[in-house]
């Protein structure tokens, strides 16, 4: 089912470029498991270039995004930078 973000009052759509400390099988697994637990994550793609992953998130406002960044994403150990 496709949800309408506007009807759900989800107004902040952000793409994050995430780099891991090391691209090991274990780090990728830990990262993917943690990302899949976050309801704000719409999709996640492994990419080539400056970032290792592109992650699309959807939140109700910038305060919710800041909360996600500070309290959830920053605690995912393999992440080097966002």
């Amino acid at each position: 089912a496709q949800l309408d973000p506007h009807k759900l009052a989800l107004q902040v759509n952000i793409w994050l470029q995430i780099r891991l400390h090391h691209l090991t099988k274990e780090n990728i697994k830990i990262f993917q498991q943690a990302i899949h637990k976050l309801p704000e994550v719409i999709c996640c793609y492994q990419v080539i270039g400056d970032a290792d992953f592109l992650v699309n998130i959807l939140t109700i406002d910038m305060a919710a995004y800041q909360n996600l960044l500070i309290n959830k994403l920053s605690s995912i150990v393999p992440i080097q930078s966002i």
Side-chain angles (χ1 to χ4, degrees):
Q2 287 201 346
L3 303 176
D4 185 345
H6 298 291
K7 289 182 181 178
L8 296 172
L10 300 172
Q11 300 178 11
V12 178
N13 187 343
I14 299 174
W15 283 91
L16 303 176
Q17 295 183 33
I18 296 179
R19 179 182 276 291
L20 301 185
H21 285 288
H22 301 286
L23 276 180
T24 64
K25 185 183 246 184
E26 185 63 25
N27 278 350
I28 292 170
K29 181 179 178 182
I30 292 168
F31 171 75
Q32 289 176 331
Q33 288 174 342
I35 286 294
H36 288 301
K37 292 178 183 176
L38 301 175
E40 299 89 349
V41 173
I42 303 304
C43 58
C44 177
Y45 300 102
Q46 188 171 5
V47 296
I48 297 172
D50 290 335
D52 297 319
F53 291 89
L54 288 178
V55 179
N56 186 211
I57 62 166
L58 195 58
T59 64
I60 57 172
D61 56 25
M62 287 303 290
Y65 164 68
Q66 288 287 19
N67 181 55
L68 174 71
L69 182 66
I70 293 167
N71 296 313
K72 296 178 183 176
L73 291 172
S74 66
S75 67
I76 300 173
V77 176
I79 293 179
Q80 177 181 345
S81 63
I82 300 174

